Each structure stands twice: as structure tokens, then as C-alpha cells.
Amino acid sequence: MPTVASSQSSTETDWVSRFADDVIAESERRAPGKPVVVASGLSPSGPIHLGNLREVMTPHLVADEIRRRGHTVRHLISWDDYDRYRKVPNGVEGVDDSWLAHIGKPLTSVPAPAGSAYPNWAEHFKAAMTQALDELGVEYDGISQTEQYLAGTYREQVLHAMKHRADIDAVLDRYRTKKDGAAGAKGGKKPQQKKVDEAELEAAEGSGAADEDDGSSGSAGYFPYKPYCGNCEKDLTVVTSYDDDTTELNYTCSACGFAETVRLNEFNRGKLVWKVDWPMRWAYEGVIFEPSGVDHSSPGSSFVVGGQIVREVFDGVQPIGPMYAFVGISGMAKMSSSKGGVPTPADALKIMEAPLLRWLYARRKPNQSFKIAFDQEIQRLYDEWDSLARKVADGTVLPADAAAHARAVGTAAGELPSTPRPLPYRTLASVADITAGAEEQTLRILSELDPSSPLTSLDEVRPRLDRAENWITTQVPAEARTVVRHEPDEELLGSLDAQGRESLRLLLEGLDSHWSLDGLTTLVYGVPKVLEGLAPDARPTPELKVAQRSFFALLYRLLVGRDTGPRLPTLLLAVGADRVRTLLGA
């Protein structure tokens, strides 16, 4: 079982341990002897992206640390699949403008994209996320809000909220801004708007909060409950009357004109509005720890308002938890699940191993933003990750870095799958680029990287090899792929001066005796040194670096027809000694 530094030794450096200390103490104060409850909320309104993953990974890492200490923990993931379908996301395959007709329905009542194997919209987008969470080693209890509401699980809480609607309205009113500088009487308020900035709206799209009003406010007053229409299934309804004693509720639908009278003590086709629903669940589930996006730190946000509603209406306590910063993608703007093309955890796991993705979330404090690389930067990230692993192995790692590494490679339940022989990602990517995934050629090249310990099977470098191949084929533009020349560039070879010809002679002369990754590295960097009358291991000068770059550019032009390409030692191994000799004019 993986271990991490104890809370006593890592408190000053490891954010996970510090939160675990606080959560354990708070749980013992609020609910001694009971399991520690941490929570996340996800809305399957579209692709669940890597920014949403922070909503899960933050409590997961804390919960896992608490489990390592021997405590029982429940990590609840609330699937907000009973939220309204707000908009048709861009870029979703199998979806067209006909889905506009479903806006306002519960997500579980909206058809899945065309061709999907799942019964509805929510299940379609939940599926990819649940598979990714399983691969990431996240242990959780999933709760469908559709199932909870339709089963009447929250009936007492709904009736309680309706009975105390004036108290809820008073809390919400503290954050409302009156339109037109005036407000009507209690029974006939003019429409009101909450104070909310653009960032909150964008972030809320992934949390179920966006486009949620504060409740039904018509001539009959304020109500924190929205029925879904019995005719068109949409939530474009207005409660026209409600009787606290009989729980008789009347509503009309502004979308289709349907009107209905129901008894709320037996009616389940509706839900509390978001700013009431969230604090209700805190109290109902006894949540001790739940993070929220930085957008929720603003006045009038769901978290701020919820803290007052849970205390003043539901006699509960707001969870402790950090505000987490946004997650970005190299070369992309801040993610929003309403916009097409934003990468999901499943997308990331196609090009990187689960421990690396876990590490990106574990090594940064929740309030620190970071980016996930889908471009060339992924190679540097993997170099950094491999360097950390070497430091862990030789005992030179710092305590906080050791803790982040341990949390990345495994959980309290055990180690995550890993690559037995983790060759550098950039090397694997280069080989995959050159070979186009041909396994026999790939094995030949990788076996020659270290002749003293040759690779015997590609299984030794999987799954990392598969991730590198996926990165090359899905993320590297076709024009940036490496294509080795079929014939020598006779024109370029004929134009070389004496120094150019001599540099190629020295390289070709040393091929056989340097035919390994390390040997070829020494050779290609050493040729310009020898031309200057220096030893192959001489320290480079600024002038020598210029000469090396010129030599490298010449080799790239002769081998792949452009000035840059994969690392030359890897490229030479991939091309093979005989073909290198042909292309270099031997």
C-alpha cells in the first residue's frame, strides 16, 4: 500500500494533510463516531471537462488521506441530472438544432446524442466521466438527483423549504439588485436580478448553477420550488398558489399554457431551485467538506447564500472547504462545458497515464491555477514527472513532493497500474511519430536505445507507449509529423562546403561504435567540437552552440526535409544505420 508523509511531518508543506487534519477534527465535533462525509457535485449538461475534475479530485485526495489514517469516509458525488437542460452545447457530435426543443426539461428527460448507447442526455455524459474516475482510482458514492427527487427522498425538506419560503426570500433579498430602482409590494415584485459577474456564470455552467433563478416569484409571492410541467416536461412554470396546511399547489406553464393542481406531500415532479437545493443537501447528507469554484466567493454566489440558508432554514452547518482556481489547457482559454471542444478527463487519459494526471491536481494547492498540456508541453511535464520519480527512488525528494508523488501513484486501496519500464515520453512519441505505430519497427528501435539492457516486448513500455502514440496521432498536426526522406537530397549534398562534408564523414564514421541512445547523443553533440579541434566532451561555448545548431539543422534537412524534428539520437535510431548512410551520401 502506498504511503505518504504523516500529517505531523507534512503539515507545513502538504495541503492535503492540512485539510485532512481540519476535516477529521470538524467531523469529530459535528458527528462523532460517524463516517466522514465529503462531497462533489457534477452536472452532466454536456462534456464534463478537466476543470470540473478539480471539483472531484480536491475532496478525493483529502478523503483518501483520511482513509490512509484509518477513518471511514464517504465521498459523495452528486450527479445534478435533474437540473434543467439550459442550452445545446457546441461541438457535440450527434446533436443539432432540434435539441433546442428540449430546453427546460430535466437532463434525464432529454434524448442522448444520436448514435449514443445511453438512454438519455445525462447518462451519456455521465458515462465517460465515471469511466475516467475509475481509471483515476477515485472511490465514491454516486447519487442521482433525478432518482432522489422522483423517489420523494427530499419530500420533508421540500415541504420545509416551502413553509419557510419567506425566510429564504429574505436571505436572497440581501443580495438582490432592484431593477428600475424600485421594487413592488411583496405580493407583486418586479423581476429582480442577482449580483453575479460573468466569471461566475461561466463557471456555473459546469456546476448546475447557471441560468437558475432564485425561485418562482409571481403574483402569489416567492416560492423556492419549481415543478416540471406535466404536459411539456419543462420548468418554465410559475406557482400561482400554495397552501401550507394541505400542501395543495397550483402552477401554470408559460411554455405550453398547461395548468395543474397537485399536493406537494405526494408530488415528486419538481425540485428546489439551485440556491436552496445545494444547502438542503448539505444538511441532509451531513457534508463536512466540499470545495467550490472561486466564482462562489463573490457576494450573492451559491456558496455564500447557501451558507446562510443552511443555517437559518435547515438548521445545518456549511461545509468547510477551499475555493479552487480554474484549470486551463495549454494554448486554450479557461474551460466552459457549454462550449464545444473542451478536453475532458477521458481525453487527457488517452494521452497521459492516470498517475501523471492525478499528480497535476495533487501538487498544486486548490487556490492555485494550473494548465494541463495537450501540446508539446506534455513532454516537459513527463520529464518533470520522471525526474520526481528518480528523486523519490534515491531519497533526495522534498517532503511535499514525496507526498504529491505518493498520492499520484496510488490510493489507500493500493497502487494504480503503471508502466514497468517508463522510457522518456518524448522518446516514445518520437518513435511513434517516425514509425506510425508499426510495432515491429517500434520494438527494434526501442531495443537499440540501451544495448546493455534491450527491450524484449512492447508490453514493458505500456501503457505509456500507447499514450504517446495517441498524442502523436490526435494532437500533433499532420504538417508537424515526421516523414523520413525516401531518397538522398543530392542537391543539398552537392552544395556542401568542405566543413559540411567533413561533419557528415565524422558522424558516419562513428555510427557503429555509438549505436545507442547515449552513444549517438555523444556523437551528434561531439562532431562540431571535433571540427573545432576540441575533445568530444569539451564544455560548449556560445560559439560552439551555434555550430551545433547549424549541424543539427543540416542533418534534419537531409533526413526529414526540414530544419527541425525529433531528437536526433532517437531519429537516427529510428531511421536505421543503413538508411542514415544512404541519406547522408555515404
Side-chain angles (χ1 to χ4, degrees):
M1 181 177 296
T3 58
V4 297
S6 68
S7 61
Q8 289 79 10
S9 64
S10 61
T11 298
E12 294 304 317
T13 54
D14 177 26
W15 69 265
V16 178
S17 288
R18 291 199 301 272
F19 276 119
D21 293 340
D22 294 342
V23 172
I24 291 170
E26 186 69 10
S27 184
E28 290 175 348
R29 184 183 70 80
R30 294 190 197 179
K34 294 184 178 181
V36 180
V37 180
V38 306
S40 306
L42 294 173
S43 176
S45 58
I48 300 174
H49 59 61
L50 286 161
N52 301 135
L53 182 59
R54 201 166 203 180
E55 168 79 20
V56 175
M57 289 304 299
T58 302
H60 161 69
L61 292 166
V62 173
D64 189 65
E65 167 64 15
I66 295 172
R67 289 191 187 101
R68 293 174 194 252
R69 300 184 190 183
H71 297 269
T72 302
V73 188
R74 291 186 70 211
H75 180 182
L76 308 179
I77 292 185
S78 181
W79 296 104
D80 292 319
D81 51 14
Y82 206 46
D83 284 0
R84 74 191 306 268
Y85 185 59
R86 296 177 287 105
K87 62 179 70 175
V88 181
N90 296 326
V92 175
E93 187 175 353
V95 176
D96 55 33
D97 287 346
S98 65
W99 264 260
L100 290 167
H102 300 291
I103 289 176
K105 295 180 182 179
L107 293 170
T108 42
S109 294
V110 177
S116 171
Y118 297 94
N120 59 61
W121 186 272
E123 291 301 315
H124 175 82
F125 289 105
K126 284 167 61 176
M129 188 64 169
T130 55
Q131 183 176 344
L133 293 178
D134 181 63
E135 187 172 344
L136 287 165
V138 176
E139 181 181 336
Y140 66 95
D141 294 336
I143 298 176
S144 164
Q145 290 306 312
T146 296
E147 294 178 3
Q148 295 288 86
Y149 271 105
L150 291 183
T153 303
Y154 302 136
R155 179 169 289 118
E156 289 185 14
Q157 286 71 27
V158 169
L159 295 174
H160 182 79
M162 289 292 278
K163 185 175 182 179
H164 293 272
R165 57 190 178 274
D167 299 324
I168 295 172
D169 194 28
V171 173
L172 296 171
D173 204 42
R174 298 168 196 166
Y175 300 96
R176 291 184 178 123
T177 301
K178 307 296 190 277
K179 281 188 176 181
D180 302 323
K186 186 68 176 177
K189 290 182 182 177
K190 290 189 176 182
Q192 296 172 334
Q193 62 183 19
K194 53 187 176 179
K195 292 179 180 176
V196 60
D197 59 25
E198 185 177 1
E200 179 184 351
L201 282 175
E202 184 174 34
E205 289 172 356
S207 66
D211 295 346
E212 289 272 3
D213 59 12
D214 291 339
S216 178
S217 186
S219 60
Y222 169 80
F223 298 99
Y225 181 81
K226 277 269 192 169
Y228 280 109
C229 177
N231 180 53
C232 70
E233 297 187 81
K234 298 182 178 181
D235 73 338
L236 302 174
T237 57
V238 176
V239 176
T240 55
S241 68
Y242 178 70
D243 186 283
D244 287 311
D245 295 328
T246 66
T247 75
E248 187 174 278
L249 179 148
N250 288 279
Y251 75 86
T252 59
C253 177
S254 60
C256 68
F258 181 78
E260 186 177 20
T261 299
V262 299
R263 287 187 180 272
L264 203 52
N265 61 2
E266 58 188 29
F267 177 79
N268 298 326
R269 198 184 62 249
K271 69 185 293 289
L272 294 171
V273 295
W274 172 248
K275 287 189 177 180
V276 183
D277 176 79
W278 197 13
M280 177 275 289
R281 284 188 261 153
W282 290 339
Y284 181 84
E285 301 287 359
V287 178
I288 304 297
F289 179 85
E290 182 171 4
S292 55
V294 292
D295 47 286
H296 288 304
S297 63
S298 61
S301 69
S302 304
F303 192 81
V304 173
V305 172
Q308 298 181 45
I309 290 177
V310 71
R311 181 178 65 253
E312 298 179 25
V313 176
F314 294 106
D315 194 27
V317 183
Q318 187 175 33
I320 61 175
M323 300 289 176
Y324 57 84
F326 294 110
V327 175
I329 298 296
S330 293
M332 293 181 64
K334 185 180 66 180
M335 291 176 289
S336 169
S337 60
S338 68
K339 300 175 182 177
V342 291
T344 66
D347 293 328
L349 289 169
K350 290 175 183 176
I351 66 170
M352 62 182 69
E353 297 161 274
L356 177 66
L357 186 57
R358 287 176 61 91
W359 176 62
L360 296 179
Y361 289 85
R363 69 172 179 160
R364 296 285 186 243
K365 296 176 183 177
N367 63 356
Q368 295 176 316
S369 60
F370 66 91
K371 291 185 177 182
I372 296 177
F374 277 70
D375 56 11
Q376 296 284 342
E377 183 70 8
I378 193 173
Q379 299 183 358
R380 188 199 62 78
L381 279 176
Y382 254 104
D383 288 345
E384 191 177 350
W385 169 247
D386 289 343
S387 174
L388 174 61
R390 289 191 293 271
K391 291 178 181 178
V392 169
D394 64 23
T396 61
V397 67
L398 296 173
D401 294 334
H405 182 269
R407 300 188 198 288
V409 299
T411 70
E415 298 282 346
L416 271 67
S418 61
T419 299
R421 190 167 174 177
L423 296 179
Y425 188 90
R426 65 176 64 246
T427 298
L428 296 175
S430 294
V431 172
D433 180 23
I434 298 162
T435 65
E439 293 204 352
E440 184 176 345
Q441 188 181 2
T442 298
L443 180 59
R444 190 268 301 171
I445 297 167
L446 296 180
S447 298
E448 294 177 342
L449 293 178
D450 182 3
S452 65
S453 180
L455 199 71
T456 59
S457 168
L458 292 182
D459 289 340
E460 295 179 53
V461 290
R462 287 186 164 127
R464 185 178 289 196
L465 172 63
D466 299 326
R467 303 299 184 269
E469 288 179 343
N470 286 337
W471 178 71
I472 285 291
T473 57
T474 65
Q475 303 300 320
V476 177
E479 62 271 17
R481 298 286 301 274
T482 301
V483 179
V484 179
R485 294 182 62 90
H486 294 289
E487 301 291 339
D489 186 340
E490 300 291 356
E491 182 178 352
L492 177 56
L493 287 169
S495 69
L496 295 179
D497 59 16
Q499 187 176 34
R501 291 191 296 274
E502 178 63 9
S503 68
L504 295 182
R505 187 192 69 79
L506 289 171
L507 179 75
L508 292 169
E509 187 179 73
L511 278 184
D512 289 340
S513 59
H514 291 81
W515 197 253
S516 69
L517 189 65
D518 290 342
L520 289 172
T521 300
T522 299
L523 179 63
V524 297
Y525 280 90
V527 165
K529 298 177 185 179
V530 173
L531 284 175
E532 296 293 330
L534 303 172
D537 59 353
R539 294 180 63 85
T541 63
E543 294 77 16
L544 193 53
K545 289 180 179 180
V546 171
Q548 287 174 329
R549 285 195 291 271
S550 297
F551 177 54
F552 296 165
L554 172 61
L555 293 179
Y556 282 126
R557 289 196 295 272
L558 289 170
L559 294 172
V560 297
R562 62 174 194 255
D563 291 339
T564 61
R567 292 187 69 244
L568 276 169
T570 306
L571 178 60
L572 293 170
L573 283 173
V575 173
D578 290 343
R579 193 173 178 188
V580 166
R581 290 188 178 94
T582 298
L583 294 176
L584 298 189

